[in-house]
Amino acid sequence: TVTNNTVKPVTPAIPTGWQTYTNNKYKFSVKYPVGWKVNFYQHPTLQQENVGFGPLNIQEDYQWGIVIYDSSDTTVDAVIRSMGSQWNDRAETRENILLNGINATKATITTAQVDGWQSVIIVFEYNSKIYSISNGAIVDPDYETFYKSFKFI
């Protein structure tokens, strides 16, 4: 279900002390909390590259992520539809936003099968790539600050 088709601009409000991750390959930067780890990796079987961000106490995974897809391999809609596809009661809402000058879709996916499970992703196409900025299905008020800080450099 697509709701609220008006475009809402978003502007960053970065807490003091947040660090900056800069990706020179794709020419973007994003802010993240102090003391968090960052890892850039290419998925071994899928045609995508990932940047994961998370607290040091998460040993094998990351809380937030940015995934970069080649737009010849997928679409914005397909990326959104893949989130939460494991749930047979998957519910989805979409909102058009303006992320630092870029038209993007903010999708929220929920399920009643897992209490509190909520995937929020910001998805947009830019220079033949599709970017997905995910909350890792963990509700965290700092995620909004994280995705709003994303910008091309």
Side-chain angles (χ1 to χ4, degrees):
T1 305
V2 176
T3 59
N4 192 1
N5 283 327
T6 57
V7 175
K8 287 177 150 180
V10 293
T11 55
I14 309 302
T16 303
W18 274 37
Q19 302 170 89
T20 302
Y21 168 79
T22 301
N23 184 297
N24 292 317
K25 180 176 182 179
Y26 294 105
K27 308 290 188 219
F28 70 83
S29 69
V30 67
K31 305 279 188 180
Y32 64 97
V34 169
W36 278 31
K37 61 185 174 179
V38 179
N39 188 32
F40 180 83
Y41 58 100
Q42 182 155 357
H43 195 281
T45 57
L46 301 176
Q47 295 299 315
Q48 66 188 43
E49 296 182 62
N50 305 269
V51 185
F53 301 82
L56 295 175
N57 64 346
I58 298 178
Q59 297 299 316
E60 297 176 15
D61 204 356
Y62 294 89
Q63 186 162 324
W64 301 331
I66 299 172
V67 181
I68 302 111
Y69 306 87
D70 191 306
S71 62
S72 66
D73 295 328
T74 192
T75 64
V76 166
D77 187 60
V79 169
I80 293 170
R81 283 186 288 110
S82 72
M83 297 296 128
S85 61
Q86 70 270 37
W87 310 116
N88 61 9
D89 68 338
R90 177 185 185 280
E92 172 190 309
T93 59
R94 295 185 187 194
E95 177 182 5
N96 295 319
I97 64 170
L98 191 60
L99 179 62
N100 293 313
I102 297 171
N103 290 317
T105 301
K106 179 180 180 181
T108 303
I109 295 92
T110 58
T111 178
Q113 294 180 27
V114 177
D115 189 39
W117 191 94
Q118 181 182 68
S119 178
V120 179
I121 57 171
I122 311 302
V123 187
F124 57 91
E125 187 171 349
Y126 184 82
N127 284 347
S128 301
K129 300 292 181 192
I130 294 177
Y131 293 79
S132 171
I133 307 171
S134 169
N135 75 334
I138 298 170
V139 176
D140 180 341
D142 285 335
Y143 167 71
E144 184 174 354
T145 301
F146 170 72
Y147 82 73
K148 285 181 178 182
S149 75
F150 181 97
K151 66 180 179 180
F152 287 100
I153 51 176

